[in-house]
Every structure is written in structure tokens, then in C-alpha cells.
């Protein structure tokens, strides 16, 4: 068994051969309805009974794609709407939010694209711009990457 060290980088920038994740297509496939409204407290929300995603108006394209990807993950996991929940509900709500963010980040930022961007970008802002995501989504993806690398170092698994 060879210990896993740093990811070997190709000598040239990796061409993107795959289609980028399209959350609009994913929402369509799931039969979800998307509406726009001037939301005050959030960028988007998931309304389970109506299988409805509401997105804030005036988002940039990048914000809208990230937000929709996040809300689609709530739909995939049959997450609840915790707006009116008590303390236990708020804790569960935070878990749901983290899970939706992480699942969305994995889909929005494929590993090969992430490693490519990290290879040359001089700042997180630049990497996020190259990857077409918000800095928040990149931060979430980087946390996953760090966890994955630690996991690879300490276990043998085919995942
Ligand atoms: Zn959410």
C-alpha cells in the first residue's frame, strides 16, 4: 500500500471535458417549481408541501446557481422547512443547511476543476471566479477537500 501524499498535478491545465452541473436541469428532472420573490432574510428557500423553490430576485447568475443547487439538495433529501421550529428544530436545521451546502458544493465544483483552479489561482476570489461559484461555496468545497485528504491519509477505502 502506498501512502497518499499530495495529489499529482498534470503538467498542463486540465481541459474541462465534462458538462458543468446544471441545477435548473436537476430541479426540472425532480419536477420542482421555481419561483422568484423579493426575499429579505435568505437567498432562497425550500417549501416542501408545494415542492417549490423560491429564489430571491436580484441575485447574480453565480449566486442564483449556487442557491438553486443548495435548495435542490433539500428537495433530494426530503428536508423539512424549519422556519417555525423550536430549539431542537434549529439544531436540525443547521445540520440540514450544512448537508445541503456540502452536497451542492461537491456537484458545483468537481475535484478535477478544483485542483486545477487551486494550481494557478492566486486568491480564493480568483479561484471562485474561475470555478463560477460564490466564495462561500468554494469555502465549503475546500473544507470537504481537507476532510477528504485527511481521510485518505488515515484509511484504506474505495469510498
Ligand atoms: Zn437551506
Amino acid at each position: 500500500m502506498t501512502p497518499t501524499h499530495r495529489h499529482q498535478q498534470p503538467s498542463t491545465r486540465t481541459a474541462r471535458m465534462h458538462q458543468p452541473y446544471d441545477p435548473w436541469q436537476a430541479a426540472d428532472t425532480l419536477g420542482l417549481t421555481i419561483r422568484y420573490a423579493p426575499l429579505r432574510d435568505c437567498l432562497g428557500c425550500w417549501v416542501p408541501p408545494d415542492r417549490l423553490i423560491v429564489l430571491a430576485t436580484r441575485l447574480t447568475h453565480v449566486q442564483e446557481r449556487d442557491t438553486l443547487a443548495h435548495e435542490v439538495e433539500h428537495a433530494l433529501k426530503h428536508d423539512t422547512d424549519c422556519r417555525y421550529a423550536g430549539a431542537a428544530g434549529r439544531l436540525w436545521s443547521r445540520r440540514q443547511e450544512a448537508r445541503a451546502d456540502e452536497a451542492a458544493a461537491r456537484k458545483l465544483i468537481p475535484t478535477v476543476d478544483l485542483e486545477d483552479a487551486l494550481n494557478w489561482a492566486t486568491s480564493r476570489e480568483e479561484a471562485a471566479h474561475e470555478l463560477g461559484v460564490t466564495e462561500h461555496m468554494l469555502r465549503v468545497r475546500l473544507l470537504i477537500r481537507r476532510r477528504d485528504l485527511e481521510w485518505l491519509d488515515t484509511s484504506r477505502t474505495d469510498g
Side-chain angles (χ1 to χ4, degrees), residues 44-46 70-71 74 79 93 96-98 100-101:
C45 67
W46 161 234
H70 171 104
E71 304 302 337
H74 281 317
D79 283 348
S93 179
Q96 284 191 160
E97 292 315 308
D101 258 355

Side-chain angles (χ1 to χ4, degrees), residues 13 36 44 48 64 79 94-95 97 102 126 150:
R13 287 190 62 192
Y36 294 83
E64 183 177 323
D79 283 348
R94 279 202 297 275
R95 286 186 187 149
E97 292 315 308
E102 291 188 11
E126 194 175 27
E150 284 168 4

Side-chain angles (χ1 to χ4, degrees), residues 134-148:
T134 60
E135 287 184 55
H136 168 77
M137 205 51 91
L138 177 58
R139 195 156 49 239
V140 171
R141 188 64 182 80
L142 287 172
L143 286 171
I144 296 169
R145 176 178 183 267
R146 194 168 68 197
R147 212 167 55 208
D148 286 351

